[in-house]
Amino acid sequence: MAEIAPSVLGADFARLGEEIASAGEAGVNMLHLDIMDGHFVPNISFGPAVVARIDQLTDAYLDVHLMLSEPEKYFDDFVKAGADAITFHLQVHPDPVPYARQIRDMGVHAGISINPDIPVDNVLPYLEHFDLFLAMSVFPGFGGQKFIPEVLDKVRTARKHIDSNGLATKIMIDGGVDLTNAAEVVAAGADILVMGTAFFSAHD
Ligand code: DX5
Ligand code: ZN
């Protein structure tokens, strides 16, 4: 069964504690934390100090999505802050395996992400080295954007590759996921649905 990972970027930061508690009450086991540097993406979010505070507030698995030009500089800081998984983008490290090793050697899961304009074939050869594959269904940088449906074919292709090679890599989808497309995303083979706006703006 697919799982939902709420993206804290969609939460009301003035009520962060309550928002995280409400995710816990909704039965969520994983939170997605979007880290942006104003360079790899045209927006700035939050850093390790906020992640460490979130880690104190919840037992949820913390999935840290690094939208950074030099992610490796911060692996250690985010692991110390309580990250359970660290994901970076293939664009910044086209030879990503040494970085996957570095992350796993720190005792956390490693993830690799591709933007909507990157062919899925570029990432397939590396999936065996990663615990998570984060397929972007929007161009990263902002919450609340519209889902790009072309990602579904990438999810199907990755699903086939993972299953036929007996890999344990989980497929995550990130951006614009809501109740109108969730079923389709799951049918395409995604294991985890990141949901920011749709989760935190819902009334129940
Ligand atoms: C986009 C982020 C996403 C985003 C998801 O840059 O990586 O995780 O916060 O938010 P929604 O669900 O609002 O698209
Ligand atoms: Zn994200």
Side-chain angles (χ1 to χ4, degrees):
M1 211 182 72
E3 202 181 318
I4 289 176
S7 164
V8 168
L9 197 65
D12 175 353
F13 280 29
R15 300 171 38 251
L16 197 51
E18 286 162 56
E19 295 276 68
I20 284 166
S22 77
E25 281 156 26
V28 157
N29 295 312
M30 183 191 277
L31 289 174
H32 181 83
L33 306 179
D34 288 304
I35 314 300
M36 304 177 182
D37 65 354
H39 188 258
F40 178 68
V41 290
N43 193 10
I44 296 175
S45 58
F46 52 86
V50 173
V51 174
R53 190 71 188 104
I54 292 172
D55 187 48
Q56 290 171 347
L57 295 173
T58 178
D59 293 330
Y61 179 101
L62 300 183
D63 170 42
V64 172
H65 176 192
L66 297 182
M67 285 162 273
L68 309 178
S69 296
E70 296 181 289
E72 67 281 6
K73 280 193 176 170
Y74 301 93
F75 289 165
D76 192 47
D77 289 345
F78 284 104
V79 170
K80 285 196 180 117
D84 295 294
I86 302 261
T87 293
F88 62 93
H89 280 251
L90 181 64
Q91 271 159 285
V92 292
H93 289 308
D95 176 12
V97 178
Y99 299 97
R101 237 174 254 138
Q102 211 178 313
I103 294 169
R104 283 175 156 181
D105 284 349
M106 295 170 139
V108 301
H109 290 144
I112 187 81
S113 183
I114 56 168
N115 273 10
D117 58 348
I118 309 267
V120 71
D121 288 350
N122 293 17
V123 79
L124 295 181
Y126 303 116
L127 290 188
E128 62 179 296
H129 301 279
F130 287 90
D131 305 285
L132 303 169
F133 166 45
L134 182 71
M136 293 306 303
S137 38
V138 298
F139 282 88
F142 300 91
Q145 302 183 76
K146 200 172 158 335
F147 182 78
I148 299 174
E150 283 72 25
V151 73
L152 293 169
D153 267 339
K154 294 185 187 179
V155 171
R156 287 183 200 107
T157 304
R159 180 83 271 154
K160 259 192 223 145
H161 177 86
I162 287 168
D163 292 347
S164 61
N165 290 283
L167 307 182
T169 317
K170 294 233 164 120
I171 302 177
M172 302 183 67
I173 191 150
D174 186 11
V177 178
D178 61 21
L179 292 178
T180 68
N181 52 38
E184 222 179 344
V185 167
V186 173
D191 301 294
I192 301 161
L193 279 49
V194 174
M195 252 189 218
T197 310
F199 184 88
F200 284 106
S201 66
H203 294 294
D204 58 21

